[in-house]
Amino acid sequence: MDVPALMAGIEAWPISLAIAEGDYWFPAIEVIHVIAITLVVGTVGLVDLRLAGVIRPVVSPLRLMKALLPWTWALFAVAVITGSLMFASSAVRYWEIGWFKAKLVLILLAGINMLVFHFSATGRAVPDDPQVVFSGHAKAAGALSILLWIGVIVCGRWIGFS
Amino acid sequence: MIEWLGGTALAHYLQETEWTIPAIQSVHIVGIVVLFTAMLILDLRLFGIAGRDWSLAQVGRLAMPVLFPVLAVMIVTGMLMIFAEPERELGSPVFWTKMALVVLATLLTWWIGRQLAVEPAHFDTRPGLTRALGLILALCWLAIVFAGRWIAYFDVM
């Protein structure tokens, strides 16, 4: 597959050109992206901190997940859409930035980590017990998730300086 | 003031090293993550949209302790950014709008926390006030993030 040609093609889409050439489109989309990504990381991070044992065990993990994770998914969709629009506006250049690829890899790893947890014994039957304290895989999955998401943010900020 | 800040050794250091500003901004954004999320869960509970398994006072106890420590991190990292580019920040109306909103949002959040601490059921009997506060608070924090990102674009327009 001819990736550079594909990127050049994306960049030539009318929507990409509009974002690249307009004065306000890019910053407006970026603001929405920042708001979405901070809340994605914050909401999933709270669940992660509960799994990792950083938050005092006073909240039922099951209820915490049910209350927060639907918001995480909705905001993640917003972050993906706005991120794709920013990418499209300058696809050739972004594709050459190492931080951009690193960010995608970290998001992928966070997704794999989430799936592995979801299908683990704890993930399939998340306890509804406010006092439960996790150990082993669930604890590690929470800690790994928060680190990966902070990595996503750091890579994202570095893209802007590349 | 702007000239003096720009002439300090710290300003030169921040301008000459490539990694310091993105690193400081990354910490600043992680601060936003914590603060913004605390405000989101408080807000969702104020509106009664989510978290109704817990009382407002319980959600307040989870969200409130975050406010001042994180604000301290935001102020320190924010001041480092001012040192690096004093004109862009202190010379910008967007920056000063952001600061005014930060003061307003902080006072409002602190007041809500105080009311909850003094009288846990304070807001339960005042649904209109509670929703109005939730709306103002949400708009304030959104505008703060908006203004923060807009500082970077203001002078180029």
Side-chain angles (χ1 to χ4, degrees), chain A residues 23-24 26-28 30-31 34-35 38-39 42-43 46 59 63 68 71 153-154 157-158 161, chain B residues 19 21-23 25-26 29 33 36-37 40-41 44 49-50 53-54 142 145-146 149-150 153 157:
Chain A
D23 278 339
Y24 297 95
F26 193 90
E30 191 182 8
V31 166
V34 169
I35 289 168
T38 51
L39 291 175
T43 50
L46 260 180
V59 186
R63 289 185 190 200
L68 288 176
W71 295 93
I153 285 180
V154 172
R157 197 66 291 250
W158 241 278
F161 285 88
Chain B
W19 61 273
I21 291 300
Q25 290 193 359
S26 295
I29 295 188
V33 168
F36 217 43
T37 307
L40 176 77
I41 58 173
L44 291 175
I49 296 171
D53 285 348
W54 304 284
L142 283 171
V145 177
F146 192 90
R149 201 69 284 265
W150 218 266
Y153 289 101
M157 282 172 186

mmCIF file of all heavy atoms in Angstrom, chain A residues 23-24 26-28 30-31 34-35 38-39 42-43 46 59 63 68 71 153-154 157-158 161, chain B residues 19 21-23 25-26 29 33 36-37 40-41 44 49-50 53-54 142 145-146 149-150 153 157:
data_model
loop_
_atom_site.group_PDB
_atom_site.id
_atom_site.type_symbol
_atom_site.label_atom_id
_atom_site.label_comp_id
_atom_site.label_asym_id
_atom_site.label_seq_id
_atom_site.Cartn_x
_atom_site.Cartn_y
_atom_site.Cartn_z
ATOM 1 N N ASP A 23 -9.436 29.897 9.343
ATOM 2 C CA ASP A 23 -8.728 30.462 10.495
ATOM 3 C C ASP A 23 -9.160 29.816 11.799
ATOM 4 O O ASP A 23 -8.391 29.699 12.736
ATOM 5 C CB ASP A 23 -9.002 31.969 10.587
ATOM 6 C CG ASP A 23 -8.100 32.739 9.641
ATOM 7 O OD1 ASP A 23 -7.060 32.181 9.249
ATOM 8 O OD2 ASP A 23 -8.443 33.880 9.304
ATOM 9 N N TYR A 24 -10.421 29.418 11.885
ATOM 10 C CA TYR A 24 -10.985 29.015 13.174
ATOM 11 C C TYR A 24 -11.244 27.522 13.310
ATOM 12 O O TYR A 24 -11.397 27.023 14.415
ATOM 13 C CB TYR A 24 -12.296 29.763 13.436
ATOM 14 C CG TYR A 24 -12.103 31.249 13.546
ATOM 15 C CD1 TYR A 24 -12.288 32.093 12.456
ATOM 16 C CD2 TYR A 24 -11.705 31.823 14.763
ATOM 17 C CE1 TYR A 24 -12.103 33.464 12.565
ATOM 18 C CE2 TYR A 24 -11.509 33.189 14.880
ATOM 19 C CZ TYR A 24 -11.708 34.000 13.779
ATOM 20 O OH TYR A 24 -11.516 35.344 13.891
ATOM 21 N N PHE A 26 -9.443 24.727 12.862
ATOM 22 C CA PHE A 26 -8.488 23.882 13.586
ATOM 23 C C PHE A 26 -8.510 24.138 15.096
ATOM 24 O O PHE A 26 -8.685 23.200 15.869
ATOM 25 C CB PHE A 26 -7.075 24.026 12.998
ATOM 26 C CG PHE A 26 -6.143 22.956 13.493
ATOM 27 C CD1 PHE A 26 -5.997 21.755 12.816
ATOM 28 C CD2 PHE A 26 -5.441 23.134 14.686
ATOM 29 C CE1 PHE A 26 -5.159 20.760 13.290
ATOM 30 C CE2 PHE A 26 -4.605 22.143 15.171
ATOM 31 C CZ PHE A 26 -4.461 20.957 14.460
ATOM 32 N N PRO A 27 -8.346 25.418 15.530
ATOM 33 C CA PRO A 27 -8.388 25.639 16.988
ATOM 34 C C PRO A 27 -9.706 25.209 17.617
ATOM 35 O O PRO A 27 -9.712 24.662 18.732
ATOM 36 C CB PRO A 27 -8.169 27.142 17.154
ATOM 37 C CG PRO A 27 -8.073 27.724 15.803
ATOM 38 C CD PRO A 27 -7.959 26.632 14.798
ATOM 39 N N ALA A 28 -10.828 25.410 16.915
ATOM 40 C CA ALA A 28 -12.134 25.022 17.482
ATOM 41 C C ALA A 28 -12.198 23.504 17.669
ATOM 42 O O ALA A 28 -12.626 23.011 18.714
ATOM 43 C CB ALA A 28 -13.262 25.499 16.571
ATOM 44 N N GLU A 30 -9.639 21.550 17.929
ATOM 45 C CA GLU A 30 -8.634 21.168 18.928
ATOM 46 C C GLU A 30 -9.156 21.366 20.352
ATOM 47 O O GLU A 30 -8.911 20.527 21.228
ATOM 48 C CB GLU A 30 -7.350 21.986 18.716
ATOM 49 C CG GLU A 30 -6.202 21.458 19.543
ATOM 50 C CD GLU A 30 -4.932 22.280 19.389
ATOM 51 O OE1 GLU A 30 -4.978 23.354 18.760
ATOM 52 O OE2 GLU A 30 -3.895 21.843 19.921
ATOM 53 N N VAL A 31 -9.883 22.450 20.581
ATOM 54 C CA VAL A 31 -10.453 22.688 21.917
ATOM 55 C C VAL A 31 -11.396 21.546 22.294
ATOM 56 O O VAL A 31 -11.328 21.003 23.400
ATOM 57 C CB VAL A 31 -11.192 24.048 21.967
ATOM 58 C CG1 VAL A 31 -12.061 24.134 23.204
ATOM 59 C CG2 VAL A 31 -10.198 25.192 21.944
ATOM 60 N N VAL A 34 -9.372 18.509 23.137
ATOM 61 C CA VAL A 34 -8.735 18.589 24.461
ATOM 62 C C VAL A 34 -9.766 18.301 25.558
ATOM 63 O O VAL A 34 -9.504 17.531 26.490
ATOM 64 C CB VAL A 34 -8.072 19.974 24.684
ATOM 65 C CG1 VAL A 34 -7.644 20.148 26.138
ATOM 66 C CG2 VAL A 34 -6.866 20.140 23.768
ATOM 67 N N ILE A 35 -10.951 18.907 25.429
ATOM 68 C CA ILE A 35 -11.994 18.679 26.438
ATOM 69 C C ILE A 35 -12.381 17.198 26.462
ATOM 70 O O ILE A 35 -12.474 16.576 27.526
ATOM 71 C CB ILE A 35 -13.223 19.572 26.157
ATOM 72 C CG1 ILE A 35 -12.865 21.040 26.459
ATOM 73 C CG2 ILE A 35 -14.422 19.140 26.996
ATOM 74 C CD1 ILE A 35 -13.872 22.051 25.957
ATOM 75 N N THR A 38 -9.381 14.925 27.854
ATOM 76 C CA THR A 38 -9.168 15.046 29.301
ATOM 77 C C THR A 38 -10.259 14.285 30.055
ATOM 78 O O THR A 38 -9.963 13.601 31.042
ATOM 79 C CB THR A 38 -9.163 16.513 29.769
ATOM 80 O OG1 THR A 38 -10.322 17.170 29.276
ATOM 81 C CG2 THR A 38 -7.925 17.253 29.304
ATOM 82 N N LEU A 39 -11.503 14.358 29.557
ATOM 83 C CA LEU A 39 -12.578 13.669 30.274
ATOM 84 C C LEU A 39 -12.553 12.157 30.027
ATOM 85 O O LEU A 39 -12.942 11.392 30.905
ATOM 86 C CB LEU A 39 -13.934 14.276 29.898
ATOM 87 C CG LEU A 39 -14.131 15.709 30.430
ATOM 88 C CD1 LEU A 39 -15.439 16.291 29.931
ATOM 89 C CD2 LEU A 39 -14.086 15.756 31.946
ATOM 90 N N GLY A 42 -9.849 11.152 32.412
ATOM 91 C CA GLY A 42 -10.307 11.343 33.791
ATOM 92 C C GLY A 42 -11.315 10.298 34.230
ATOM 93 O O GLY A 42 -11.207 9.738 35.322
ATOM 94 N N THR A 43 -12.293 10.002 33.353
ATOM 95 C CA THR A 43 -13.324 9.045 33.758
ATOM 96 C C THR A 43 -12.772 7.614 33.797
ATOM 97 O O THR A 43 -13.004 6.883 34.756
ATOM 98 C CB THR A 43 -14.555 9.105 32.826
ATOM 99 O OG1 THR A 43 -14.118 9.037 31.467
ATOM 100 C CG2 THR A 43 -15.332 10.380 33.023
ATOM 101 N N LEU A 46 -10.456 7.283 36.835
ATOM 102 C CA LEU A 46 -11.062 7.053 38.145
ATOM 103 C C LEU A 46 -11.307 5.563 38.372
ATOM 104 O O LEU A 46 -11.048 5.039 39.460
ATOM 105 C CB LEU A 46 -12.396 7.793 38.228
ATOM 106 C CG LEU A 46 -12.415 9.128 38.964
ATOM 107 C CD1 LEU A 46 -13.826 9.703 38.939
ATOM 108 C CD2 LEU A 46 -11.953 8.969 40.398
ATOM 109 N N VAL A 59 -16.149 2.936 47.275
ATOM 110 C CA VAL A 59 -17.132 2.936 46.193
ATOM 111 C C VAL A 59 -17.149 1.561 45.537
ATOM 112 O O VAL A 59 -16.098 0.972 45.295
ATOM 113 C CB VAL A 59 -16.761 3.989 45.133
ATOM 114 C CG1 VAL A 59 -17.858 4.104 44.087
ATOM 115 C CG2 VAL A 59 -16.503 5.338 45.774
ATOM 116 N N ARG A 63 -20.562 -0.226 40.333
ATOM 117 C CA ARG A 63 -21.370 0.988 40.178
ATOM 118 C C ARG A 63 -20.549 2.127 39.603
ATOM 119 O O ARG A 63 -21.045 2.934 38.820
ATOM 120 C CB ARG A 63 -21.938 1.401 41.529
ATOM 121 C CG ARG A 63 -23.001 0.452 41.993
ATOM 122 C CD ARG A 63 -23.604 0.967 43.260
ATOM 123 N NE ARG A 63 -24.458 -0.038 43.848
ATOM 124 C CZ ARG A 63 -25.396 0.236 44.734
ATOM 125 N NH1 ARG A 63 -25.577 1.470 45.136
ATOM 126 N NH2 ARG A 63 -26.134 -0.720 45.223
ATOM 127 N N LEU A 68 -19.580 5.707 35.116
ATOM 128 C CA LEU A 68 -18.582 6.499 34.376
ATOM 129 C C LEU A 68 -18.302 6.013 32.960
ATOM 130 O O LEU A 68 -18.117 6.823 32.050
ATOM 131 C CB LEU A 68 -17.255 6.517 35.159
ATOM 132 C CG LEU A 68 -17.235 7.359 36.430
ATOM 133 C CD1 LEU A 68 -15.898 7.205 37.135
ATOM 134 C CD2 LEU A 68 -17.503 8.824 36.112
ATOM 135 N N TRP A 71 -19.889 7.406 29.759
ATOM 136 C CA TRP A 71 -19.370 8.744 29.431
ATOM 137 C C TRP A 71 -18.014 8.626 28.747
ATOM 138 O O TRP A 71 -17.717 9.357 27.807
ATOM 139 C CB TRP A 71 -19.243 9.599 30.696
ATOM 140 C CG TRP A 71 -20.573 9.871 31.308
ATOM 141 C CD1 TRP A 71 -21.186 9.142 32.295
ATOM 142 C CD2 TRP A 71 -21.499 10.890 30.939
ATOM 143 N NE1 TRP A 71 -22.427 9.659 32.555
ATOM 144 C CE2 TRP A 71 -22.639 10.735 31.746
ATOM 145 C CE3 TRP A 71 -21.466 11.924 29.996
ATOM 146 C CZ2 TRP A 71 -23.742 11.575 31.638
ATOM 147 C CZ3 TRP A 71 -22.566 12.771 29.908
ATOM 148 C CH2 TRP A 71 -23.688 12.593 30.718
ATOM 149 N N ILE A 153 -1.681 11.395 26.417
ATOM 150 C CA ILE A 153 -1.737 12.859 26.551
ATOM 151 C C ILE A 153 -0.374 13.490 26.260
ATOM 152 O O ILE A 153 -0.276 14.493 25.545
ATOM 153 C CB ILE A 153 -2.209 13.238 27.974
ATOM 154 C CG1 ILE A 153 -3.708 12.988 28.073
ATOM 155 C CG2 ILE A 153 -1.883 14.694 28.294
ATOM 156 C CD1 ILE A 153 -4.294 13.325 29.402
ATOM 157 N N VAL A 154 0.685 12.892 26.811
ATOM 158 C CA VAL A 154 2.027 13.438 26.610
ATOM 159 C C VAL A 154 2.384 13.411 25.116
ATOM 160 O O VAL A 154 2.840 14.413 24.559
ATOM 161 C CB VAL A 154 3.070 12.655 27.445
ATOM 162 C CG1 VAL A 154 4.483 13.091 27.091
ATOM 163 C CG2 VAL A 154 2.812 12.865 28.941
ATOM 164 N N ARG A 157 0.506 16.128 23.262
ATOM 165 C CA ARG A 157 1.050 17.475 23.425
ATOM 166 C C ARG A 157 2.324 17.646 22.601
ATOM 167 O O ARG A 157 2.608 18.699 22.064
ATOM 168 C CB ARG A 157 1.284 17.754 24.918
ATOM 169 C CG ARG A 157 1.466 19.224 25.293
ATOM 170 C CD ARG A 157 0.184 20.039 25.045
ATOM 171 N NE ARG A 157 -0.121 20.197 23.639
ATOM 172 C CZ ARG A 157 -0.033 21.344 22.972
ATOM 173 N NH1 ARG A 157 0.331 22.435 23.576
ATOM 174 N NH2 ARG A 157 -0.324 21.408 21.698
ATOM 175 N N TRP A 158 3.106 16.557 22.512
ATOM 176 C CA TRP A 158 4.360 16.655 21.776
ATOM 177 C C TRP A 158 4.128 16.753 20.268
ATOM 178 O O TRP A 158 4.942 17.311 19.552
ATOM 179 C CB TRP A 158 5.284 15.478 22.116
ATOM 180 C CG TRP A 158 6.564 15.964 22.735
ATOM 181 C CD1 TRP A 158 7.658 16.432 22.083
ATOM 182 C CD2 TRP A 158 6.877 16.040 24.133
ATOM 183 N NE1 TRP A 158 8.632 16.806 22.983
ATOM 184 C CE2 TRP A 158 8.180 16.571 24.242
ATOM 185 C CE3 TRP A 158 6.176 15.711 25.308
ATOM 186 C CZ2 TRP A 158 8.805 16.778 25.470
ATOM 187 C CZ3 TRP A 158 6.800 15.916 26.521
ATOM 188 C CH2 TRP A 158 8.094 16.448 26.599
ATOM 189 N N PHE A 161 4.238 20.168 18.999
ATOM 190 C CA PHE A 161 5.549 20.824 18.965
ATOM 191 C C PHE A 161 6.469 20.214 17.913
ATOM 192 O O PHE A 161 7.623 20.609 17.787
ATOM 193 C CB PHE A 161 6.226 20.743 20.340
ATOM 194 C CG PHE A 161 5.634 21.690 21.334
ATOM 195 C CD1 PHE A 161 4.549 21.315 22.107
ATOM 196 C CD2 PHE A 161 6.137 22.978 21.491
ATOM 197 C CE1 PHE A 161 3.979 22.188 23.017
ATOM 198 C CE2 PHE A 161 5.580 23.861 22.393
ATOM 199 C CZ PHE A 161 4.497 23.462 23.159
ATOM 200 N N TRP B 19 12.530 20.526 25.186
ATOM 201 C CA TRP B 19 11.579 19.608 25.821
ATOM 202 C C TRP B 19 10.807 20.219 26.988
ATOM 203 O O TRP B 19 9.771 19.696 27.384
ATOM 204 C CB TRP B 19 12.311 18.349 26.319
ATOM 205 C CG TRP B 19 13.351 18.661 27.349
ATOM 206 C CD1 TRP B 19 14.653 19.008 27.132
ATOM 207 C CD2 TRP B 19 13.170 18.707 28.770
ATOM 208 N NE1 TRP B 19 15.284 19.264 28.315
ATOM 209 C CE2 TRP B 19 14.394 19.079 29.344
ATOM 210 C CE3 TRP B 19 12.076 18.450 29.618
ATOM 211 C CZ2 TRP B 19 14.575 19.231 30.720
ATOM 212 C CZ3 TRP B 19 12.244 18.602 30.987
ATOM 213 C CH2 TRP B 19 13.493 18.983 31.517
ATOM 214 N N ILE B 21 8.957 23.036 27.533
ATOM 215 C CA ILE B 21 7.589 23.561 27.388
ATOM 216 C C ILE B 21 6.569 22.442 27.133
ATOM 217 O O ILE B 21 5.547 22.383 27.837
ATOM 218 C CB ILE B 21 7.538 24.668 26.309
ATOM 219 C CG1 ILE B 21 8.284 25.913 26.805
ATOM 220 C CG2 ILE B 21 6.106 25.030 25.937
ATOM 221 C CD1 ILE B 21 7.718 26.517 28.093
ATOM 222 N N PRO B 22 6.831 21.533 26.168
ATOM 223 C CA PRO B 22 5.854 20.433 26.042
ATOM 224 C C PRO B 22 5.711 19.612 27.319
ATOM 225 O O PRO B 22 4.601 19.156 27.640
ATOM 226 C CB PRO B 22 6.397 19.577 24.888
ATOM 227 C CG PRO B 22 7.659 20.185 24.438
ATOM 228 C CD PRO B 22 7.814 21.527 25.068
ATOM 229 N N ALA B 23 6.812 19.438 28.065
ATOM 230 C CA ALA B 23 6.724 18.665 29.314
ATOM 231 C C ALA B 23 5.844 19.406 30.327
ATOM 232 O O ALA B 23 4.968 18.803 30.958
ATOM 233 C CB ALA B 23 8.123 18.431 29.886
ATOM 234 N N GLN B 25 3.559 21.635 29.672
ATOM 235 C CA GLN B 25 2.176 21.624 29.182
ATOM 236 C C GLN B 25 1.513 20.266 29.403
ATOM 237 O O GLN B 25 0.312 20.202 29.676
ATOM 238 C CB GLN B 25 2.140 21.993 27.696
ATOM 239 C CG GLN B 25 2.489 23.454 27.464
ATOM 240 C CD GLN B 25 2.154 23.920 26.060
ATOM 241 O OE1 GLN B 25 1.681 23.156 25.233
ATOM 242 N NE2 GLN B 25 2.410 25.189 25.795
ATOM 243 N N SER B 26 2.303 19.192 29.294
ATOM 244 C CA SER B 26 1.745 17.860 29.547
ATOM 245 C C SER B 26 1.282 17.747 30.998
ATOM 246 O O SER B 26 0.193 17.233 31.270
ATOM 247 C CB SER B 26 2.780 16.775 29.246
ATOM 248 O OG SER B 26 3.094 16.757 27.864
ATOM 249 N N ILE B 29 -1.861 19.669 31.409
ATOM 250 C CA ILE B 29 -3.045 18.971 30.876
ATOM 251 C C ILE B 29 -3.466 17.817 31.784
ATOM 252 O O ILE B 29 -4.665 17.595 31.984
ATOM 253 C CB ILE B 29 -2.797 18.467 29.435
ATOM 254 C CG1 ILE B 29 -2.602 19.668 28.506
ATOM 255 C CG2 ILE B 29 -3.984 17.627 28.940
ATOM 256 C CD1 ILE B 29 -2.548 19.310 27.041
ATOM 257 N N VAL B 33 -7.041 17.142 33.482
ATOM 258 C CA VAL B 33 -7.739 15.845 33.544
ATOM 259 C C VAL B 33 -8.343 15.645 34.931
ATOM 260 O O VAL B 33 -9.535 15.348 35.068
ATOM 261 C CB VAL B 33 -6.769 14.670 33.227
ATOM 262 C CG1 VAL B 33 -7.411 13.334 33.575
ATOM 263 C CG2 VAL B 33 -6.361 14.703 31.762
ATOM 264 N N PHE B 36 -10.869 18.637 35.894
ATOM 265 C CA PHE B 36 -12.036 18.620 35.014
ATOM 266 C C PHE B 36 -12.923 17.418 35.322
ATOM 267 O O PHE B 36 -14.141 17.516 35.303
ATOM 268 C CB PHE B 36 -11.517 18.549 33.573
ATOM 269 C CG PHE B 36 -12.315 19.351 32.604
ATOM 270 C CD1 PHE B 36 -12.743 20.621 32.931
ATOM 271 C CD2 PHE B 36 -12.625 18.839 31.367
ATOM 272 C CE1 PHE B 36 -13.489 21.364 32.030
ATOM 273 C CE2 PHE B 36 -13.364 19.570 30.462
ATOM 274 C CZ PHE B 36 -13.806 20.828 30.794
ATOM 275 N N THR B 37 -12.305 16.280 35.593
ATOM 276 C CA THR B 37 -13.078 15.073 35.878
ATOM 277 C C THR B 37 -13.787 15.199 37.219
ATOM 278 O O THR B 37 -14.952 14.819 37.358
ATOM 279 C CB THR B 37 -12.175 13.841 35.860
ATOM 280 O OG1 THR B 37 -11.465 13.824 34.625
ATOM 281 C CG2 THR B 37 -12.976 12.573 35.995
ATOM 282 N N LEU B 40 -16.626 17.295 36.539
ATOM 283 C CA LEU B 40 -17.649 16.586 35.750
ATOM 284 C C LEU B 40 -18.526 15.719 36.645
ATOM 285 O O LEU B 40 -19.757 15.769 36.560
ATOM 286 C CB LEU B 40 -16.996 15.714 34.671
ATOM 287 C CG LEU B 40 -17.969 14.851 33.861
ATOM 288 C CD1 LEU B 40 -18.711 15.680 32.819
ATOM 289 C CD2 LEU B 40 -17.275 13.685 33.168
ATOM 290 N N ILE B 41 -17.891 14.947 37.538
ATOM 291 C CA ILE B 41 -18.715 14.049 38.360
ATOM 292 C C ILE B 41 -19.550 14.847 39.361
ATOM 293 O O ILE B 41 -20.689 14.516 39.638
ATOM 294 C CB ILE B 41 -17.897 12.924 39.044
ATOM 295 C CG1 ILE B 41 -16.790 13.475 39.921
ATOM 296 C CG2 ILE B 41 -17.305 11.968 38.028
ATOM 297 C CD1 ILE B 41 -16.108 12.379 40.723
ATOM 298 N N LEU B 44 -22.395 16.258 37.125
ATOM 299 C CA LEU B 44 -23.386 15.253 36.737
ATOM 300 C C LEU B 44 -24.291 14.930 37.914
ATOM 301 O O LEU B 44 -25.491 14.714 37.763
ATOM 302 C CB LEU B 44 -22.690 13.984 36.231
ATOM 303 C CG LEU B 44 -21.955 14.115 34.891
ATOM 304 C CD1 LEU B 44 -21.216 12.823 34.568
ATOM 305 C CD2 LEU B 44 -22.930 14.445 33.775
ATOM 306 N N ILE B 49 -27.885 13.651 36.667
ATOM 307 C CA ILE B 49 -27.790 12.860 35.432
ATOM 308 C C ILE B 49 -27.134 11.507 35.720
ATOM 309 O O ILE B 49 -27.528 10.487 35.179
ATOM 310 C CB ILE B 49 -26.971 13.616 34.355
ATOM 311 C CG1 ILE B 49 -27.696 14.906 33.956
ATOM 312 C CG2 ILE B 49 -26.736 12.733 33.126
ATOM 313 C CD1 ILE B 49 -26.881 15.822 33.081
ATOM 314 N N ALA B 50 -26.102 11.532 36.547
ATOM 315 C CA ALA B 50 -25.398 10.280 36.861
ATOM 316 C C ALA B 50 -24.995 10.297 38.333
ATOM 317 O O ALA B 50 -24.982 11.337 38.979
ATOM 318 C CB ALA B 50 -24.167 10.128 35.970
ATOM 319 N N ASP B 53 -26.550 6.905 42.764
ATOM 320 C CA ASP B 53 -26.329 5.907 43.817
ATOM 321 C C ASP B 53 -25.709 6.555 45.053
ATOM 322 O O ASP B 53 -25.732 5.985 46.136
ATOM 323 C CB ASP B 53 -25.363 4.814 43.316
ATOM 324 C CG ASP B 53 -26.059 3.868 42.353
ATOM 325 O OD1 ASP B 53 -27.294 3.932 42.277
ATOM 326 O OD2 ASP B 53 -25.353 3.080 41.695
ATOM 327 N N TRP B 54 -25.111 7.734 44.846
ATOM 328 C CA TRP B 54 -24.430 8.407 45.955
ATOM 329 C C TRP B 54 -25.086 9.754 46.219
ATOM 330 O O TRP B 54 -25.619 10.383 45.307
ATOM 331 C CB TRP B 54 -22.950 8.621 45.600
ATOM 332 C CG TRP B 54 -22.251 7.351 45.248
ATOM 333 C CD1 TRP B 54 -21.824 6.394 46.124
ATOM 334 C CD2 TRP B 54 -21.917 6.876 43.936
ATOM 335 N NE1 TRP B 54 -21.251 5.346 45.421
ATOM 336 C CE2 TRP B 54 -21.289 5.618 44.091
ATOM 337 C CE3 TRP B 54 -22.078 7.382 42.649
ATOM 338 C CZ2 TRP B 54 -20.818 4.875 43.009
ATOM 339 C CZ3 TRP B 54 -21.630 6.644 41.573
ATOM 340 C CH2 TRP B 54 -21.006 5.407 41.758
ATOM 341 N N LEU B 142 -15.631 24.713 31.156
ATOM 342 C CA LEU B 142 -15.475 24.553 29.700
ATOM 343 C C LEU B 142 -14.826 25.795 29.096
ATOM 344 O O LEU B 142 -13.909 25.702 28.280
ATOM 345 C CB LEU B 142 -16.840 24.308 29.037
ATOM 346 C CG LEU B 142 -17.416 22.903 29.188
ATOM 347 C CD1 LEU B 142 -18.851 22.859 28.687
ATOM 348 C CD2 LEU B 142 -16.565 21.882 28.422
ATOM 349 N N VAL B 145 -11.003 25.920 29.785
ATOM 350 C CA VAL B 145 -10.196 25.081 28.890
ATOM 351 C C VAL B 145 -10.161 25.691 27.485
ATOM 352 O O VAL B 145 -9.117 25.753 26.835
ATOM 353 C CB VAL B 145 -10.743 23.632 28.824
ATOM 354 C CG1 VAL B 145 -9.945 22.796 27.838
ATOM 355 C CG2 VAL B 145 -10.692 23.002 30.206
ATOM 356 N N PHE B 146 -11.330 26.177 27.054
ATOM 357 C CA PHE B 146 -11.436 26.822 25.756
ATOM 358 C C PHE B 146 -10.471 28.001 25.662
ATOM 359 O O PHE B 146 -9.668 28.102 24.726
ATOM 360 C CB PHE B 146 -12.881 27.307 25.573
ATOM 361 C CG PHE B 146 -13.202 27.735 24.185
ATOM 362 C CD1 PHE B 146 -13.694 26.824 23.274
ATOM 363 C CD2 PHE B 146 -13.018 29.045 23.796
ATOM 364 C CE1 PHE B 146 -13.996 27.218 21.975
ATOM 365 C CE2 PHE B 146 -13.319 29.455 22.501
ATOM 366 C CZ PHE B 146 -13.807 28.533 21.593
ATOM 367 N N ARG B 149 -6.699 27.007 25.519
ATOM 368 C CA ARG B 149 -6.203 26.594 24.204
ATOM 369 C C ARG B 149 -6.165 27.780 23.246
ATOM 370 O O ARG B 149 -5.316 27.861 22.374
ATOM 371 C CB ARG B 149 -7.097 25.457 23.663
ATOM 372 C CG ARG B 149 -6.455 24.582 22.572
ATOM 373 C CD ARG B 149 -5.328 23.711 23.106
ATOM 374 N NE ARG B 149 -4.090 24.402 23.364
ATOM 375 C CZ ARG B 149 -3.074 24.482 22.521
ATOM 376 N NH1 ARG B 149 -3.137 23.923 21.360
ATOM 377 N NH2 ARG B 149 -1.976 25.107 22.867
ATOM 378 N N TRP B 150 -7.102 28.728 23.465
ATOM 379 C CA TRP B 150 -7.209 29.856 22.548
ATOM 380 C C TRP B 150 -6.062 30.857 22.720
ATOM 381 O O TRP B 150 -5.755 31.629 21.800
ATOM 382 C CB TRP B 150 -8.557 30.563 22.720
ATOM 383 C CG TRP B 150 -9.092 31.002 21.402
ATOM 384 C CD1 TRP B 150 -8.935 32.229 20.834
ATOM 385 C CD2 TRP B 150 -9.825 30.220 20.467
ATOM 386 N NE1 TRP B 150 -9.531 32.263 19.609
ATOM 387 C CE2 TRP B 150 -10.072 31.047 19.342
ATOM 388 C CE3 TRP B 150 -10.294 28.908 20.441
ATOM 389 C CZ2 TRP B 150 -10.778 30.592 18.229
ATOM 390 C CZ3 TRP B 150 -10.990 28.464 19.340
ATOM 391 C CH2 TRP B 150 -11.227 29.293 18.250
ATOM 392 N N TYR B 153 -3.677 30.676 19.987
ATOM 393 C CA TYR B 153 -4.084 31.057 18.633
ATOM 394 C C TYR B 153 -4.419 32.527 18.501
ATOM 395 O O TYR B 153 -4.523 33.045 17.400
ATOM 396 C CB TYR B 153 -5.311 30.239 18.207
ATOM 397 C CG TYR B 153 -4.964 28.793 17.959
ATOM 398 C CD1 TYR B 153 -5.241 27.822 18.916
ATOM 399 C CD2 TYR B 153 -4.346 28.412 16.779
ATOM 400 C CE1 TYR B 153 -4.917 26.497 18.689
ATOM 401 C CE2 TYR B 153 -4.026 27.089 16.555
ATOM 402 C CZ TYR B 153 -4.312 26.136 17.498
ATOM 403 O OH TYR B 153 -3.993 24.836 17.287
ATOM 404 N N MET B 157 -4.440 35.535 14.766
ATOM 405 C CA MET B 157 -5.656 35.823 14.001
ATOM 406 C C MET B 157 -5.742 37.285 13.596
ATOM 407 O O MET B 157 -5.178 38.136 14.199
ATOM 408 C CB MET B 157 -6.867 35.440 14.833
ATOM 409 C CG MET B 157 -7.061 33.949 14.786
ATOM 410 S SD MET B 157 -8.322 33.458 15.920
ATOM 411 C CE MET B 157 -8.189 31.694 15.772
#
